[in-house]
Structure formats: structure tokens, C-alpha cells
């Protein structure tokens, strides 16, 4: 999660999302893939956090479960922002400042999930 947040904020290197997904086509592919990976294909909705929270409830760890559910909200919000990002020239996310703003917002959500999940792990 730290690496993802750093890459989302990175505007200088080739591993940063600003350069990696700088063209409208790459931006569309990257944001659509991010959504699919977090909500559909490689995990369950909410980046699997709701399922893990259910397990923690069954294991008698409701405080940690609640934190993972909160984290799931961040992951789903991140995925939805990525899905809704539009690549056409008239869309606010299509220009460099719009992409930069979106990537910063996504990084903030990742940071929020990281903090929540660290608290949950400390409880466990």
C-alpha cells in the first residue's frame, strides 16, 4: 500500500502514475484496470476487506473487523473514482492537472486504508 501511494504521488519518475498513465489511452487503461482489480477480478468488492472483516467477527475480533470494514469503504471509493475517470478531452480528469488531482485523491484513500489496517493489525 505504501508503494502504491508513493507511485500515485510520483510525478517525476517512469514508475509514477503521472508518467505511466499520462496519455488519455494509458489513463483509461490504468483506471479501468485499477477498478477491475479492486472490485471484480483479482479480489472481492472492497478489496476483500469485507470478507476478512466477517472472518474477524467470527473469530471474536469485532474491533479489528470494524477497521477492516472502514478500509473496505476506502478501497471501494478508490475503485469507483478510478472507474468514473473519463479520458476524453472534455473531461476534467483528461488533463494533466485533473489526473494529478485524481492520483493525489487516490493516494489519500490508500493512506487512509493503510492507517486503518495498521490499527487493526495492532489489535490482533
Amino acid at each position: 500500500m505504501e508503494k502504491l501511494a508513493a507511485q500515485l504521488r510520483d510525478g517525476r519518475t517512469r514508475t509514477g502514475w503521472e508518467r505511466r498513465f499520462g496519455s488519455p489511452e494509458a489513463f483509461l487503461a490504468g483506471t479501468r484496470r485499477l477498478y477491475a482489480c479492486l472490485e471484480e477480478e483479482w479480489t472481492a468488492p472492497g478489496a476483500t476487506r469485507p470478507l476478512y472483516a466477517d472472518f474477524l467477527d467470527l473469530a471474536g475480533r469485532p474491533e479489528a473487523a470494524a477497521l477492516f470494514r472502514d478500509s473496505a469503504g476506502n478501497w471501494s471509493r478508490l475503485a469507483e473514482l478510478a472507474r468514473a475517470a473519463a479520458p476524453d478531452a472534455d473531461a476534467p480528469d483528461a488533463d494533466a492537472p485533473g489526473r494529478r488531482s485524481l492520483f493525489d485523491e487516490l493516494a489519500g484513500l490508500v493512506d487512509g486504508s493503510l492507517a486503518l489496517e495498521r490499527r487493526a493489525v495492532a489489535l490482533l
Side-chain angles (χ1 to χ4, degrees):
M1 287 187 274
E2 288 174 345
K3 183 177 178 179
L4 174 59
Q7 288 179 347
L8 284 163
R9 288 190 175 97
D10 180 355
R12 296 179 300 123
T13 70
R14 62 186 169 91
T15 61
W17 279 50
E18 194 166 330
R19 285 190 55 196
R20 188 185 303 175
F21 301 109
S23 74
E25 297 81 15
F27 180 70
L28 175 63
T31 54
R32 294 299 188 263
R33 189 71 188 134
L34 180 60
Y35 172 81
C37 287
L38 289 174
E39 294 287 314
E40 298 175 336
E41 293 179 13
W42 294 100
T43 187
T48 309
R49 273 51 175 192
L51 292 175
Y52 188 55
D54 290 347
F55 164 76
L56 291 173
D57 279 333
L58 291 171
R61 306 307 296 259
E63 300 89 1
L67 292 168
F68 274 100
R69 281 194 183 86
D70 289 344
S71 179
N74 285 349
W75 287 113
S76 289
R77 174 74 180 136
L78 183 151
E80 183 54 33
L81 287 170
R83 188 195 62 76
D88 66 52
D90 297 327
D93 294 332
D95 62 359
R99 286 191 304 271
R100 176 74 269 138
S101 178
L102 174 68
F103 294 154
D104 287 340
E105 187 173 0
L106 299 179
L109 289 165
V110 173
D111 289 340
S113 283
L114 179 59
L116 289 165
E117 292 180 26
R118 282 183 171 155
R119 285 177 42 209
V121 169
L123 289 171
L124 296 172

